[in-house]
Every structure is written in C-alpha cells, then in structure tokens.
mmCIF file of all heavy atoms in Angstrom:
data_model
loop_
_atom_site.group_PDB
_atom_site.id
_atom_site.type_symbol
_atom_site.label_atom_id
_atom_site.label_comp_id
_atom_site.label_asym_id
_atom_site.label_seq_id
_atom_site.Cartn_x
_atom_site.Cartn_y
_atom_site.Cartn_z
ATOM 1 N N ILE D 24 91.263 88.527 99.428
ATOM 2 C CA ILE D 24 90.209 88.331 100.424
ATOM 3 C C ILE D 24 89.468 87.013 100.229
ATOM 4 O O ILE D 24 88.949 86.436 101.198
ATOM 5 C CB ILE D 24 89.225 89.519 100.381
ATOM 6 C CG1 ILE D 24 89.963 90.815 100.764
ATOM 7 C CG2 ILE D 24 88.033 89.312 101.301
ATOM 8 C CD1 ILE D 24 89.158 92.057 100.525
ATOM 9 N N ALA D 25 89.406 86.504 99.007
ATOM 10 C CA ALA D 25 88.629 85.294 98.716
ATOM 11 C C ALA D 25 88.968 84.111 99.618
ATOM 12 O O ALA D 25 88.049 83.444 100.127
ATOM 13 C CB ALA D 25 88.787 84.908 97.245
ATOM 14 N N PRO D 26 90.253 83.782 99.849
ATOM 15 C CA PRO D 26 90.532 82.632 100.726
ATOM 16 C C PRO D 26 89.968 82.808 102.132
ATOM 17 O O PRO D 26 89.534 81.833 102.759
ATOM 18 C CB PRO D 26 92.067 82.572 100.751
ATOM 19 C CG PRO D 26 92.505 83.297 99.528
ATOM 20 C CD PRO D 26 91.492 84.369 99.313
ATOM 21 N N ILE D 27 89.979 84.033 102.622
ATOM 22 C CA ILE D 27 89.426 84.312 103.956
ATOM 23 C C ILE D 27 87.920 84.090 103.961
ATOM 24 O O ILE D 27 87.367 83.461 104.869
ATOM 25 C CB ILE D 27 89.767 85.755 104.369
ATOM 26 C CG1 ILE D 27 91.284 85.949 104.418
ATOM 27 C CG2 ILE D 27 89.130 86.116 105.704
ATOM 28 C CD1 ILE D 27 91.721 87.383 104.613
ATOM 29 N N VAL D 28 87.240 84.599 102.933
ATOM 30 C CA VAL D 28 85.780 84.475 102.845
ATOM 31 C C VAL D 28 85.372 83.007 102.731
ATOM 32 O O VAL D 28 84.438 82.558 103.422
ATOM 33 C CB VAL D 28 85.252 85.286 101.640
ATOM 34 C CG1 VAL D 28 83.782 84.985 101.385
ATOM 35 C CG2 VAL D 28 85.447 86.771 101.880
ATOM 36 N N VAL D 29 86.059 82.253 101.876
ATOM 37 C CA VAL D 29 85.719 80.834 101.703
ATOM 38 C C VAL D 29 85.914 80.077 103.010
ATOM 39 O O VAL D 29 85.073 79.251 103.411
ATOM 40 C CB VAL D 29 86.561 80.218 100.568
ATOM 41 C CG1 VAL D 29 86.358 78.712 100.503
ATOM 42 C CG2 VAL D 29 86.205 80.863 99.224
ATOM 43 N N ARG D 30 87.006 80.356 103.697
ATOM 44 C CA ARG D 30 87.292 79.668 104.966
ATOM 45 C C ARG D 30 86.200 79.942 105.995
ATOM 46 O O ARG D 30 85.677 79.015 106.640
ATOM 47 C CB ARG D 30 88.646 80.163 105.497
ATOM 48 C CG ARG D 30 88.900 79.877 106.965
ATOM 49 C CD ARG D 30 89.311 78.421 107.190
ATOM 50 N NE ARG D 30 89.295 78.072 108.599
ATOM 51 C CZ ARG D 30 90.230 78.422 109.483
ATOM 52 N NH1 ARG D 30 91.277 79.140 109.093
ATOM 53 N NH2 ARG D 30 90.142 78.034 110.733
ATOM 54 N N VAL D 31 85.825 81.200 106.155
ATOM 55 C CA VAL D 31 84.815 81.553 107.161
ATOM 56 C C VAL D 31 83.453 80.993 106.785
ATOM 57 O O VAL D 31 82.718 80.478 107.641
ATOM 58 C CB VAL D 31 84.743 83.086 107.332
ATOM 59 C CG1 VAL D 31 83.607 83.471 108.280
ATOM 60 C CG2 VAL D 31 86.062 83.627 107.855
ATOM 61 N N CYS D 32 83.103 81.051 105.502
ATOM 62 C CA CYS D 32 81.797 80.524 105.068
ATOM 63 C C CYS D 32 81.686 79.031 105.354
ATOM 64 O O CYS D 32 80.612 78.539 105.765
ATOM 65 C CB CYS D 32 81.589 80.798 103.581
ATOM 66 S SG CYS D 32 81.154 82.504 103.201
ATOM 67 N N ARG D 33 82.746 78.300 105.154
ATOM 68 C CA ARG D 33 82.700 76.865 105.416
ATOM 69 C C ARG D 33 82.566 76.584 106.908
ATOM 70 O O ARG D 33 81.882 75.641 107.311
ATOM 71 C CB ARG D 33 83.948 76.208 104.841
ATOM 72 C CG ARG D 33 83.856 76.067 103.310
ATOM 73 C CD ARG D 33 85.119 75.554 102.681
ATOM 74 N NE ARG D 33 84.901 75.309 101.244
ATOM 75 C CZ ARG D 33 85.865 75.162 100.357
ATOM 76 N NH1 ARG D 33 87.143 75.251 100.760
ATOM 77 N NH2 ARG D 33 85.584 74.949 99.082
ATOM 78 N N GLU D 34 83.190 77.402 107.723
ATOM 79 C CA GLU D 34 83.040 77.238 109.173
ATOM 80 C C GLU D 34 81.623 77.590 109.623
ATOM 81 O O GLU D 34 81.075 76.960 110.531
ATOM 82 C CB GLU D 34 84.059 78.106 109.908
ATOM 83 C CG GLU D 34 85.499 77.662 109.762
ATOM 84 C CD GLU D 34 85.788 76.347 110.487
ATOM 85 O OE1 GLU D 34 85.004 75.972 111.381
ATOM 86 O OE2 GLU D 34 86.787 75.686 110.130
ATOM 87 N N LEU D 35 81.017 78.589 108.962
ATOM 88 C CA LEU D 35 79.653 78.992 109.302
ATOM 89 C C LEU D 35 78.605 78.121 108.607
ATOM 90 O O LEU D 35 77.404 78.288 108.838
ATOM 91 C CB LEU D 35 79.418 80.457 108.915
ATOM 92 C CG LEU D 35 80.255 81.508 109.656
ATOM 93 C CD1 LEU D 35 79.943 82.907 109.128
ATOM 94 C CD2 LEU D 35 80.001 81.444 111.159
ATOM 95 N N GLU D 36 79.058 77.225 107.735
ATOM 96 C CA GLU D 36 78.195 76.298 106.997
ATOM 97 C C GLU D 36 77.188 77.039 106.117
ATOM 98 O O GLU D 36 75.988 76.736 106.096
ATOM 99 C CB GLU D 36 77.469 75.355 107.968
ATOM 100 C CG GLU D 36 78.428 74.499 108.785
ATOM 101 C CD GLU D 36 77.699 73.605 109.786
ATOM 102 O OE1 GLU D 36 76.464 73.520 109.707
ATOM 103 O OE2 GLU D 36 78.368 73.011 110.633
ATOM 104 N N VAL D 37 77.686 78.043 105.387
ATOM 105 C CA VAL D 37 76.856 78.792 104.438
ATOM 106 C C VAL D 37 77.567 78.796 103.087
ATOM 107 O O VAL D 37 78.777 78.563 102.989
ATOM 108 C CB VAL D 37 76.612 80.241 104.904
ATOM 109 C CG1 VAL D 37 75.787 80.260 106.186
ATOM 110 C CG2 VAL D 37 77.935 80.986 105.112
ATOM 111 N N ASP D 38 76.792 79.062 102.037
ATOM 112 C CA ASP D 38 77.332 79.101 100.683
ATOM 113 C C ASP D 38 78.229 80.331 100.532
ATOM 114 O O ASP D 38 77.846 81.444 100.902
ATOM 115 C CB ASP D 38 76.186 79.166 99.676
ATOM 116 C CG ASP D 38 76.660 79.038 98.237
ATOM 117 O OD1 ASP D 38 77.848 78.765 98.027
ATOM 118 O OD2 ASP D 38 75.820 79.224 97.324
ATOM 119 N N PHE D 39 79.425 80.145 99.980
ATOM 120 C CA PHE D 39 80.365 81.258 99.859
ATOM 121 C C PHE D 39 80.162 82.091 98.597
ATOM 122 O O PHE D 39 80.778 83.149 98.439
ATOM 123 C CB PHE D 39 81.814 80.743 99.882
ATOM 124 C CG PHE D 39 82.130 79.721 98.827
ATOM 125 C CD1 PHE D 39 82.361 80.102 97.510
ATOM 126 C CD2 PHE D 39 82.195 78.377 99.158
ATOM 127 C CE1 PHE D 39 82.657 79.156 96.541
ATOM 128 C CE2 PHE D 39 82.500 77.428 98.193
ATOM 129 C CZ PHE D 39 82.726 77.812 96.879
ATOM 130 N N VAL D 40 79.291 81.644 97.683
ATOM 131 C CA VAL D 40 79.125 82.363 96.420
ATOM 132 C C VAL D 40 78.588 83.769 96.648
ATOM 133 O O VAL D 40 79.128 84.765 96.127
ATOM 134 C CB VAL D 40 78.198 81.581 95.465
ATOM 135 C CG1 VAL D 40 77.848 82.443 94.244
ATOM 136 C CG2 VAL D 40 78.875 80.297 95.013
ATOM 137 N N GLY D 41 77.525 83.903 97.432
ATOM 138 C CA GLY D 41 76.952 85.220 97.707
ATOM 139 C C GLY D 41 77.958 86.179 98.331
ATOM 140 O O GLY D 41 78.143 87.306 97.836
ATOM 141 N N PRO D 42 78.635 85.791 99.417
ATOM 142 C CA PRO D 42 79.644 86.680 100.003
ATOM 143 C C PRO D 42 80.781 87.035 99.048
ATOM 144 O O PRO D 42 81.275 88.167 99.069
ATOM 145 C CB PRO D 42 80.165 85.873 101.195
ATOM 146 C CG PRO D 42 78.999 85.043 101.614
ATOM 147 C CD PRO D 42 78.332 84.659 100.316
ATOM 148 N N LEU D 43 81.205 86.088 98.183
ATOM 149 C CA LEU D 43 82.257 86.422 97.231
ATOM 150 C C LEU D 43 81.765 87.428 96.190
ATOM 151 O O LEU D 43 82.510 88.326 95.778
ATOM 152 C CB LEU D 43 82.767 85.167 96.531
ATOM 153 C CG LEU D 43 83.876 84.389 97.250
ATOM 154 C CD1 LEU D 43 84.302 83.179 96.428
ATOM 155 C CD2 LEU D 43 85.080 85.284 97.523
ATOM 156 N N ILE D 44 80.520 87.285 95.758
ATOM 157 C CA ILE D 44 79.948 88.279 94.847
ATOM 158 C C ILE D 44 79.870 89.630 95.540
ATOM 159 O O ILE D 44 80.150 90.679 94.945
ATOM 160 C CB ILE D 44 78.559 87.828 94.360
ATOM 161 C CG1 ILE D 44 78.699 86.613 93.431
ATOM 162 C CG2 ILE D 44 77.836 88.963 93.638
ATOM 163 C CD1 ILE D 44 77.385 86.022 92.985
ATOM 164 N N MET D 45 79.501 89.637 96.830
ATOM 165 C CA MET D 45 79.458 90.880 97.587
ATOM 166 C C MET D 45 80.842 91.526 97.656
ATOM 167 O O MET D 45 80.988 92.742 97.524
ATOM 168 C CB MET D 45 78.931 90.628 99.003
ATOM 169 C CG MET D 45 78.747 91.909 99.816
ATOM 170 S SD MET D 45 78.463 91.614 101.580
ATOM 171 C CE MET D 45 80.141 91.208 102.123
ATOM 172 N N VAL D 46 81.872 90.707 97.870
ATOM 173 C CA VAL D 46 83.244 91.230 97.904
ATOM 174 C C VAL D 46 83.591 91.890 96.573
ATOM 175 O O VAL D 46 84.187 92.973 96.538
ATOM 176 C CB VAL D 46 84.244 90.103 98.232
ATOM 177 C CG1 VAL D 46 85.678 90.569 97.987
ATOM 178 C CG2 VAL D 46 84.093 89.666 99.681
ATOM 179 N N ALA D 47 83.218 91.253 95.459
ATOM 180 C CA ALA D 47 83.501 91.822 94.145
ATOM 181 C C ALA D 47 82.789 93.163 93.967
ATOM 182 O O ALA D 47 83.388 94.143 93.508
ATOM 183 C CB ALA D 47 83.074 90.844 93.049
ATOM 184 N N MET D 48 81.502 93.218 94.334
ATOM 185 C CA MET D 48 80.749 94.455 94.174
ATOM 186 C C MET D 48 81.274 95.551 95.096
ATOM 187 O O MET D 48 81.372 96.722 94.708
ATOM 188 C CB MET D 48 79.260 94.194 94.437
ATOM 189 C CG MET D 48 78.614 93.310 93.375
ATOM 190 S SD MET D 48 76.819 93.198 93.516
ATOM 191 C CE MET D 48 76.640 92.372 95.096
ATOM 192 N N LEU D 49 81.616 95.189 96.338
ATOM 193 C CA LEU D 49 82.182 96.170 97.256
ATOM 194 C C LEU D 49 83.558 96.634 96.791
ATOM 195 O O LEU D 49 83.922 97.801 96.977
ATOM 196 C CB LEU D 49 82.280 95.582 98.667
ATOM 197 C CG LEU D 49 80.985 95.537 99.468
ATOM 198 C CD1 LEU D 49 81.168 94.712 100.741
ATOM 199 C CD2 LEU D 49 80.524 96.947 99.820
ATOM 200 N N SER D 50 84.309 95.723 96.204
ATOM 201 C CA SER D 50 85.629 96.119 95.715
ATOM 202 C C SER D 50 85.512 97.129 94.580
ATOM 203 O O SER D 50 86.336 98.038 94.451
ATOM 204 C CB SER D 50 86.422 94.894 95.262
ATOM 205 O OG SER D 50 85.935 94.380 94.037
ATOM 206 N N ASN D 51 84.479 96.979 93.741
ATOM 207 C CA ASN D 51 84.259 97.960 92.687
ATOM 208 C C ASN D 51 83.899 99.319 93.275
ATOM 209 O O ASN D 51 84.395 100.359 92.825
ATOM 210 C CB ASN D 51 83.141 97.487 91.754
ATOM 211 C CG ASN D 51 83.539 96.272 90.942
ATOM 212 O OD1 ASN D 51 84.691 96.108 90.565
ATOM 213 N ND2 ASN D 51 82.592 95.385 90.673
ATOM 214 N N ALA D 52 83.025 99.310 94.285
ATOM 215 C CA ALA D 52 82.657 100.573 94.941
ATOM 216 C C ALA D 52 83.842 101.171 95.683
ATOM 217 O O ALA D 52 84.127 102.369 95.583
ATOM 218 C CB ALA D 52 81.490 100.336 95.901
ATOM 219 N N ALA D 53 84.562 100.330 96.426
ATOM 220 C CA ALA D 53 85.727 100.805 97.172
ATOM 221 C C ALA D 53 86.861 101.218 96.237
ATOM 222 O O ALA D 53 87.741 101.984 96.636
ATOM 223 C CB ALA D 53 86.210 99.718 98.135
ATOM 224 N N GLY D 54 86.822 100.718 95.011
ATOM 225 C CA GLY D 54 87.810 101.146 94.025
ATOM 226 C C GLY D 54 87.735 102.624 93.723
ATOM 227 O O GLY D 54 88.670 103.200 93.162
ATOM 228 N N LEU D 55 86.617 103.266 94.103
ATOM 229 C CA LEU D 55 86.470 104.706 93.915
ATOM 230 C C LEU D 55 87.102 105.510 95.044
ATOM 231 O O LEU D 55 87.130 106.735 94.990
ATOM 232 C CB LEU D 55 84.977 105.063 93.808
ATOM 233 C CG LEU D 55 84.258 104.539 92.564
ATOM 234 C CD1 LEU D 55 82.747 104.641 92.730
ATOM 235 C CD2 LEU D 55 84.713 105.297 91.324
ATOM 236 N N LEU D 56 87.581 104.830 96.082
ATOM 237 C CA LEU D 56 88.154 105.550 97.219
ATOM 238 C C LEU D 56 89.481 106.205 96.865
ATOM 239 O O LEU D 56 89.816 107.263 97.406
ATOM 240 C CB LEU D 56 88.345 104.596 98.405
ATOM 241 C CG LEU D 56 87.068 104.024 99.029
ATOM 242 C CD1 LEU D 56 87.414 103.000 100.099
ATOM 243 C CD2 LEU D 56 86.220 105.145 99.612
ATOM 244 N N THR D 57 90.262 105.569 95.989
ATOM 245 C CA THR D 57 91.557 106.118 95.584
ATOM 246 C C THR D 57 91.739 105.970 94.080
ATOM 247 O O THR D 57 91.007 105.218 93.424
ATOM 248 C CB THR D 57 92.729 105.409 96.297
ATOM 249 O OG1 THR D 57 92.801 104.047 95.835
ATOM 250 C CG2 THR D 57 92.569 105.431 97.805
ATOM 251 N N LEU D 58 92.743 106.659 93.576
ATOM 252 C CA LEU D 58 92.995 106.658 92.141
ATOM 253 C C LEU D 58 93.381 105.287 91.616
ATOM 254 O O LEU D 58 93.143 104.965 90.453
ATOM 255 C CB LEU D 58 94.107 107.675 91.813
ATOM 256 C CG LEU D 58 94.453 107.901 90.354
ATOM 257 C CD1 LEU D 58 93.259 108.462 89.591
ATOM 258 C CD2 LEU D 58 95.643 108.841 90.233
ATOM 259 N N VAL D 59 93.980 104.437 92.472
ATOM 260 C CA VAL D 59 94.476 103.132 92.016
ATOM 261 C C VAL D 59 93.551 101.987 92.416
ATOM 262 O O VAL D 59 93.899 100.828 92.230
ATOM 263 C CB VAL D 59 95.899 102.869 92.560
ATOM 264 C CG1 VAL D 59 96.857 103.911 92.047
ATOM 265 C CG2 VAL D 59 95.903 102.838 94.091
ATOM 266 N N GLY D 60 92.381 102.298 92.966
ATOM 267 C CA GLY D 60 91.501 101.242 93.451
ATOM 268 C C GLY D 60 90.863 100.406 92.365
ATOM 269 O O GLY D 60 90.448 99.273 92.616
ATOM 270 N N ASP D 61 90.749 100.957 91.170
ATOM 271 C CA ASP D 61 90.118 100.243 90.060
ATOM 272 C C ASP D 61 90.789 100.698 88.767
ATOM 273 O O ASP D 61 91.019 101.896 88.600
ATOM 274 C CB ASP D 61 88.614 100.543 90.022
ATOM 275 C CG ASP D 61 87.873 99.738 88.973
ATOM 276 O OD1 ASP D 61 88.098 99.991 87.774
ATOM 277 O OD2 ASP D 61 87.070 98.873 89.338
ATOM 278 N N PRO D 62 91.123 99.783 87.860
ATOM 279 C CA PRO D 62 91.745 100.205 86.606
ATOM 280 C C PRO D 62 90.894 101.209 85.829
ATOM 281 O O PRO D 62 91.434 102.129 85.204
ATOM 282 C CB PRO D 62 91.895 98.891 85.826
ATOM 283 C CG PRO D 62 92.001 97.849 86.890
ATOM 284 C CD PRO D 62 91.079 98.315 87.989
ATOM 285 N N ALA D 63 89.563 101.048 85.867
ATOM 286 C CA ALA D 63 88.686 102.002 85.185
ATOM 287 C C ALA D 63 88.785 103.378 85.832
ATOM 288 O O ALA D 63 88.802 104.412 85.148
ATOM 289 C CB ALA D 63 87.243 101.495 85.214
ATOM 290 N N THR D 64 88.843 103.410 87.155
ATOM 291 C CA THR D 64 89.015 104.671 87.874
ATOM 292 C C THR D 64 90.321 105.337 87.479
ATOM 293 O O THR D 64 90.384 106.561 87.268
ATOM 294 C CB THR D 64 89.002 104.416 89.393
ATOM 295 O OG1 THR D 64 87.755 103.818 89.757
ATOM 296 C CG2 THR D 64 89.188 105.702 90.168
ATOM 297 N N PHE D 65 91.372 104.539 87.376
ATOM 298 C CA PHE D 65 92.677 105.091 87.005
ATOM 299 C C PHE D 65 92.637 105.683 85.599
ATOM 300 O O PHE D 65 93.194 106.763 85.353
ATOM 301 C CB PHE D 65 93.742 103.998 87.084
ATOM 302 C CG PHE D 65 95.098 104.443 86.606
ATOM 303 C CD1 PHE D 65 95.883 105.253 87.392
ATOM 304 C CD2 PHE D 65 95.558 104.056 85.357
ATOM 305 C CE1 PHE D 65 97.125 105.679 86.948
ATOM 306 C CE2 PHE D 65 96.796 104.476 84.907
ATOM 307 C CZ PHE D 65 97.587 105.280 85.704
ATOM 308 N N LEU D 66 91.971 105.004 84.659
ATOM 309 C CA LEU D 66 91.895 105.513 83.289
ATOM 310 C C LEU D 66 91.239 106.886 83.241
ATOM 311 O O LEU D 66 91.736 107.808 82.591
ATOM 312 C CB LEU D 66 91.117 104.528 82.408
ATOM 313 C CG LEU D 66 91.838 103.273 81.935
ATOM 314 C CD1 LEU D 66 90.864 102.364 81.181
ATOM 315 C CD2 LEU D 66 93.019 103.632 81.050
ATOM 316 N N VAL D 67 90.109 107.040 83.950
ATOM 317 C CA VAL D 67 89.401 108.327 83.931
ATOM 318 C C VAL D 67 90.192 109.381 84.701
ATOM 319 O O VAL D 67 90.317 110.530 84.262
ATOM 320 C CB VAL D 67 87.986 108.184 84.518
ATOM 321 C CG1 VAL D 67 87.257 109.528 84.474
ATOM 322 C CG2 VAL D 67 87.192 107.147 83.747
ATOM 323 N N GLY D 68 90.716 109.004 85.869
ATOM 324 C CA GLY D 68 91.493 109.961 86.654
ATOM 325 C C GLY D 68 92.706 110.449 85.897
ATOM 326 O O GLY D 68 93.042 111.647 85.938
ATOM 327 N N GLN D 69 93.363 109.549 85.184
ATOM 328 C CA GLN D 69 94.523 109.929 84.384
ATOM 329 C C GLN D 69 94.105 110.879 83.272
ATOM 330 O O GLN D 69 94.781 111.885 83.010
ATOM 331 C CB GLN D 69 95.166 108.667 83.808
ATOM 332 C CG GLN D 69 96.440 108.901 82.998
ATOM 333 C CD GLN D 69 96.968 107.618 82.390
ATOM 334 O OE1 GLN D 69 96.222 106.850 81.789
ATOM 335 N NE2 GLN D 69 98.248 107.358 82.555
ATOM 336 N N ALA D 70 92.994 110.585 82.598
ATOM 337 C CA ALA D 70 92.516 111.448 81.517
ATOM 338 C C ALA D 70 92.138 112.830 82.038
ATOM 339 O O ALA D 70 92.337 113.840 81.355
ATOM 340 C CB ALA D 70 91.312 110.804 80.833
#
C-alpha cells in the first residue's frame, strides 16, 4: 500500500508520513481480522 499512499499524498501536496503511520497502525488492527493477518496473531492462534 505504501507506494499508493506516497503517490496520492504528493498529488494532494501533503506529508505522507502521517498517512503511512496510519496504514501501519490500521494494518496491525486489521491483522486481527484473520489468523494470518499478523505474525503475532498467528502465534497466539496457533498456540
């Protein structure tokens, strides 16, 4: 997703750091949606 976010941020003339951090945080939360979404989730689910 990062290349998409950087591209859009540059077109919108805004700093891409905040949106990329948001993507990381959302990816951690969304990693709870399935067993393979996050390595930590997989470790606990497997256990």
